[in-house]
């Protein structure tokens, strides 16, 4: 395998940006960019051998700067929501941007998704991006150096490996915010696509602001039960308070897995294309988001028009607001310790 490179526009300083594409021996390609270390495209052969792009996105970097949905982005330092945008480490309180109702979402206004990442390596079957995030950038403590490596396997796997280190105690809860549509990024609603989640519990939210209550609620007997695969649209409009709060699915699920092991926790499939996606992680939770708030009539790749519920996200993570919530695993990276986590999306047909 090899990596091809082409122009992908310019960053805000006028420096050139690039699109890096890896292809395996089975006709699958993965394209990533140094704007936000973004996953721009994943093209997978469907049941008829036609190559289908299953990732929502834009034709050039300029679209990602205007993107308010975080299409394909690496999120950092902290994914999901932090209540009030505040947290305390070693007795000192830190205040982040308030950019989602009364809370901080995906780190703030100058998150990793809007930064230009340095390419450390682009060869064979992988691309590695690197970023230096300065002490008190976005009001996070510590100089944080992080790399993200995308690897395409011959088995149809797309691995995302995060590594980092800080010189002060800090929050580290990175994720990838790709929007998937296994019928094709331009194919419309995802209601008929099936999903299985290996989770007996989820973390219910307080209200429309989507901050968890701190409880672990059983999925059994509720629309939140995906332990057996079912169409995403089957229960999404059910008369269930958790769904009405956030206009559908936008919840953290508590994963059944061994600590430290990269294990399968989800499987999704399109009956139209036959494309199946298995997802693996070593993290304790996943945010299942059904694209409820994708802006209507949003212009995407190749003239596509996107709208609500035309894609879904499976964002591996520590739970939302876990830096503040007693009883949740805390995403605290101690000074000098290594941040190291992997999430894998593996594709096949049938």
């Amino acid at each position: 395998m090899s990596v091809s490179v082409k122009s992908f526009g310019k960053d805000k300083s006028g420096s050139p940006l690039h699109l890096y594409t890896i292809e395996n021996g089975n006709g699958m390609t993965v394209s990533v960019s140094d704007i936000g270390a973004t996953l721009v495209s994943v093209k997978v052969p469907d049941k008829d051998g036609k190559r289908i792009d299953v990732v929502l996105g834009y034709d050039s970097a300029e679209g990602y700067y205007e993107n308010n949905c975080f299409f394909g982005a690496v999120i950092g330092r902290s994914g999901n929501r932090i209540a009030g945008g505040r947290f305390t480490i070693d007795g000192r309180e830190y205040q982040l941007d308030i950019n989602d109702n009364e809370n901080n979402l995906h780190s703030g206004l100058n998150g990793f998704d809007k930064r230009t990442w340095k390419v450390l390596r682009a060869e064979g079957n992988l691309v590695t991006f690197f970023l230096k995030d300065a002490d008190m950038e976005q009001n996070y403590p510590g100089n944080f150096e992080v790399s993200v490596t995308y690897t395409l396997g011959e088995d149809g796997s797309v691995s995302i490996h995060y590594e980092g280190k800080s010189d002060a105690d800090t929050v580290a809860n990175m994720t990838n915010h790709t929007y998937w549509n296994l019928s094709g990024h331009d194919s419309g609603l995802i209601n008929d696509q099936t999903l299985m989640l290996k989770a007996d519990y989820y973390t219910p939210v307080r209200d429309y602001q989507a901050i968890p209550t701190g409880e672990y609620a059983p999925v059994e007997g509720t629309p939140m039960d995906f332990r057996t695969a079912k169409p995403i649209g089957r229960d999404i409009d059910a008369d269930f308070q958790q769904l009405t709060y956030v206009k559908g699915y936008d919840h953290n699920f508590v994963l059944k897995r061994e600590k430290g092991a990269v294990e399968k926790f989800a499987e999704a499939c399109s009956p139209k294309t036959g494309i199946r996606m298995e997802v693996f992680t070593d993290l304790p939770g996943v945010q299942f988001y059904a694209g409820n708030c994708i802006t209507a009539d949003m212009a995407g790749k190749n003239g596509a028009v996107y709208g609500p519920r035309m894609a879904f996200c499976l964002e591996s993570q520590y739970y939302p607001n876990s830096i503040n919530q007693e009883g949740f695993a805390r995403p605290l990276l101690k000074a000098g310790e290594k941040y190291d986590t992997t999430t894998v999306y593996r594709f096949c047909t049938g």
Side-chain angles (χ1 to χ4, degrees), residues 15 27 36 54 58 86 95 124 126 130 142 208 212 226 244 285 290 322 329 334 340 346:
S15 297
V54 296
Y58 300 98
R86 293 185 299 274
Q95 178 66 59
L126 63 84
F130 176 79
Y208 71 95
F226 283 89
T244 57
S322 54
K334 302 293 287 185
D340 191 335
R346 187 168 68 193

Side-chain angles (χ1 to χ4, degrees), residues 157-160 262 265 278-281 342-346:
S157 62
V158 181
S159 173
I160 309 176
V262 179
F265 70 86
E278 300 174 301
V279 195
F280 306 73
T281 194
T342 299
T343 296
V344 179
Y345 302 86
R346 187 168 68 193

Side-chain angles (χ1 to χ4, degrees), residues 240-311:
F240 186 69
Q241 184 68 76
Q242 286 294 311
L243 295 178
T244 57
Y245 275 151
V246 291
K247 303 178 182 178
Y249 296 108
D250 190 5
H251 295 80
N252 171 73
F253 286 77
V254 179
L255 301 181
K256 293 173 63 177
R257 44 170 298 280
E258 296 295 327
K259 185 177 181 180
V262 179
E263 294 185 1
K264 179 177 173 178
F265 70 86
E267 184 171 311
C269 184
S270 163
K272 178 181 177 182
T273 61
I275 294 173
R276 186 177 304 275
M277 179 176 77
E278 300 174 301
V279 195
F280 306 73
T281 194
D282 51 14
L283 290 169
V286 63
Q287 189 81 5
F288 167 44
Y289 173 49
N292 314 311
C293 297
I294 299 174
T295 306
D297 301 323
M298 179 181 288
K301 289 186 286 192
N302 301 317
V305 177
Y306 304 142
R309 299 182 182 171
M310 291 189 180

Side-chain angles (χ1 to χ4, degrees), residues 152-172:
L152 174 61
E154 290 292 356
D155 63 351
S157 62
V158 181
S159 173
I160 309 176
H161 182 204
Y162 308 80
E163 295 181 277
K165 188 175 287 187
S166 174
D167 60 5
D169 294 359
T170 193
V171 179

Side-chain angles (χ1 to χ4, degrees), residues 24 30 42 116 151 169 193 231 325:
N24 69 13
V30 171
V42 175
T116 300
T151 304
D169 294 359
Q193 294 175 41
Q325 182 62 57

Side-chain angles (χ1 to χ4, degrees), residues 78-91:
S78 183
N80 218 305
R81 295 169 176 87
I82 295 177
R86 293 185 299 274
F87 62 90
T88 300
I89 295 179
D90 298 329

